[in-house]
Amino acid sequence: MKTVAEPAVLDSLKQRLEALTPGSERRWGTLTAHEMVCHLADSSDMVLKTRPRNSPSRVKRRPLFKLVGLWTPVRWPHGWRTNPRLDPRAAGTKPSEFLSDRNRALAGLDA
């Protein structure tokens, strides 16, 4: 299983983010490249606890989702809504300046 704790995986993710431009085509989901960068940065902030959650995730569900999402070959289904605090079209960070938003996502990976 790949993890961002491995330097090669972290470098690969950072290279992919650095290659993005505002006009990059989406490969999955409905967000634009710029919206996705804000989504990733907000996700990192929530993991690092610098972006508060409105309500804690259900402890009983967390292990099940983690098991299925991370350790099985089952692909995450399309059409599931993300946490509104991570959705730039809802309560997430709205795209502003692409480079600064991308740098915030990269900084989240480093943290």
Side-chain angles (χ1 to χ4, degrees), residues 5-42:
E6 297 173 34
V9 173
L10 181 60
D11 287 342
S12 171
L13 290 172
K14 289 168 66 174
Q15 287 174 4
R16 288 176 65 186
L17 269 174
E18 289 167 348
L20 282 176
T21 66
S24 295
E25 292 287 324
R26 65 176 148 249
R27 295 185 185 175
W28 199 87
T30 62
L31 298 179
T32 65
H34 198 165
E35 290 171 332
M36 187 270 308
V37 165
C38 291
H39 168 75
L40 292 175
D42 287 348

Side-chain angles (χ1 to χ4, degrees), residues 48 53 83 105:
L48 297 168
R53 295 181 64 96
N83 180 331

Side-chain angles (χ1 to χ4, degrees), residues 34-71:
H34 198 165
E35 290 171 332
M36 187 270 308
V37 165
C38 291
H39 168 75
L40 292 175
D42 287 348
S43 297
S44 294
D45 289 347
M46 195 170 281
V47 167
L48 297 168
K49 300 187 186 310
T50 58
R51 183 176 187 82
R53 295 181 64 96
N54 287 348
S55 60
S57 63
R58 294 183 177 175
V59 175
K60 290 181 181 180
R61 283 187 167 177
R62 195 176 318 154
L64 178 63
F65 280 110
K66 185 176 181 179
L67 175 71
V68 172
L70 297 178
W71 301 105

